[in-house]
Amino acid sequence: MSNHQKRLSVPNSWPVERKTETYTVKAGAGPHGEDGVPLLVLLRDVLGYVDSKKEARYALNQDSVLVNGDAISDERRPIGMFDIIAFTEREEYYRVFPDEGGRLALTPVDADAAGSRLGKIIRKEQVTGGAFQLTLHDGTNIRVDDASEYTPNDSLVIDNEDKSVVAHFVYEEGALVTAVDGQHAGDIGTVDEIVVTQGSGDNTVHATNDDGGFETIEDYVVVIDENFTDDDGDAVDEADDATDDDAEADADEAEADADEADADAGDADADADTTDEPADAEDDDETQEADEE
């Protein structure tokens, strides 16, 4: 297997430009499968915190970059959907969330929200000893004694410190879901109907929202809670406020420049008037001498 990764062949979920250069870093072994984005891509191409792989390795060796609560030293570590990235020295926290088109994006969250992450149950099985094992979308395995309340397609909130289950969201009609793949990736809505397809076809989900709603297959939706959407909204509002403040500052600066230009123009006119006065006086003297002669 090749150790190189061409930009043109990277998964659609990777937030990289495909035609600027030929190659990019290849993801190492880890969670999220082939859709996992190397941490270096986020640090260098998305956030711009480093300029090279060497700088990324130096930063990671300081143990100041955490992924789901664990310090990461491998710049090729795959990062995927719903992962929490924390920069302890900067006090910055991000949740990986798919935007429109399915490309992974970083959504700012606060420190409390960064203490746990969301995971979708994709498999439930009984293991040796009688316990049950829940496998999440990123490959995480959670063991529970009683799994009767858990079913595939449910979502769990996992604490990043002790890896315990903090909350459980049931996949059912009326649940709040987000699409993470397909043409509706990034859309959020309430499940109106779950259509079970007989045979090998995919089940479909009808969800409603303020824009009317969307329909997608069951594998593309993840159950979330209202706090999840509040974090995203706060991030958007903060960005809008920052934009408004910048616009006001630019307007004030432009007005100050205009006032300064007017003042300069006034000074120039005053200088011109002062310069013209001696010339006018000389003309009057010459006229008076001519009259006397």
Side-chain angles (χ1 to χ4, degrees):
M1 182 178 293
S2 174
N3 291 325
H4 303 286
Q5 175 66 63
K6 287 191 174 182
R7 287 177 176 258
L8 288 176
S9 62
V10 300
N12 293 331
S13 60
W14 285 32
V16 298
E17 298 296 334
R18 284 165 169 73
K19 296 184 178 180
T20 55
E21 297 180 9
T22 303
Y23 294 98
T24 186
V25 62
K26 185 175 183 179
H32 301 291
E34 63 180 10
D35 291 332
V37 181
L39 181 57
L40 174 60
V41 171
L42 300 180
L43 295 177
R44 181 188 60 192
D45 300 339
V46 178
L47 295 173
Y49 288 167
V50 299
D51 295 327
S52 64
K53 182 186 295 186
K54 182 178 180 180
E55 291 183 5
R57 288 178 176 175
Y58 177 82
L60 295 177
N61 286 335
Q62 309 304 312
D63 293 337
S64 60
V65 180
L66 308 181
V67 177
N68 299 332
D70 299 325
I72 302 299
S73 59
D74 183 8
E75 75 280 358
R76 299 193 305 146
R77 198 270 195 192
I79 306 297
M81 183 175 62
F82 303 133
D83 278 346
I84 299 294
I85 303 177
F87 299 93
T88 55
E89 293 184 357
R90 292 174 173 266
E91 295 184 354
E92 294 179 1
Y93 308 91
Y94 296 94
R95 176 189 289 121
V96 181
F97 189 78
D99 62 3
E100 296 181 0
R103 299 185 75 178
L104 296 179
L106 299 180
T107 302
V109 296
D110 56 29
D112 293 336
S116 59
R117 73 182 192 277
L118 193 71
K120 178 182 179 180
I121 300 176
I122 61 173
R123 185 168 57 254
K124 179 178 73 171
E125 58 188 352
Q126 190 171 15
V127 296
T128 303
F132 290 87
Q133 179 174 280
L134 307 176
T135 302
L136 305 184
H137 72 281
D138 59 357
T140 301
N141 293 319
I142 305 295
R143 287 199 176 190
V144 294
D145 295 330
D146 184 10
S148 58
E149 61 178 321
Y150 303 109
T151 58
N153 296 319
D154 288 357
S155 292
L156 302 178
V157 177
I158 307 300
D159 187 272
N160 287 334
E161 184 174 352
D162 57 14
K163 313 305 179 185
S164 62
V165 177
V166 177
H168 172 214
F169 306 126
V170 180
Y171 172 68
E172 60 185 0
E173 294 182 0
L176 186 66
V177 298
T178 180
V180 297
D181 203 348
Q183 64 178 354
H184 298 291
D187 290 351
I188 296 176
T190 302
V191 176
D192 182 60
E193 183 182 7
I194 300 174
V195 180
V196 179
T197 303
Q198 300 297 327
S200 60
D202 295 320
N203 296 338
T204 58
V205 177
H206 299 267
T208 59
N209 53 28
D210 294 338
D211 296 328
F214 59 91
E215 178 181 347
T216 186
I217 64 175
E218 192 173 63
D219 291 341
Y220 287 175
V221 297
V222 177
V223 183
I224 59 177
D225 68 335
E226 295 179 355
N227 293 330
F228 198 91
T229 59
D230 289 342
D231 290 339
D232 296 341
D234 292 342
V236 173
D237 292 339
E238 290 174 2
D240 292 341
D241 292 340
T243 302
D244 294 339
D245 293 340
D246 292 340
E248 292 178 0
D250 293 339
D252 293 339
E253 184 177 355
E255 184 177 356
D257 292 340
D259 294 340
E260 184 177 355
D262 293 339
D264 293 340
D267 293 340
D269 293 339
D271 293 340
D273 294 340
T274 304
T275 304
D276 292 341
E277 288 178 358
D280 294 340
E282 292 178 359
D283 293 340
D284 293 340
D285 293 340
E286 292 177 357
T287 303
Q288 184 176 1
E289 292 176 357
D291 292 339
E292 291 177 354
E293 292 178 356

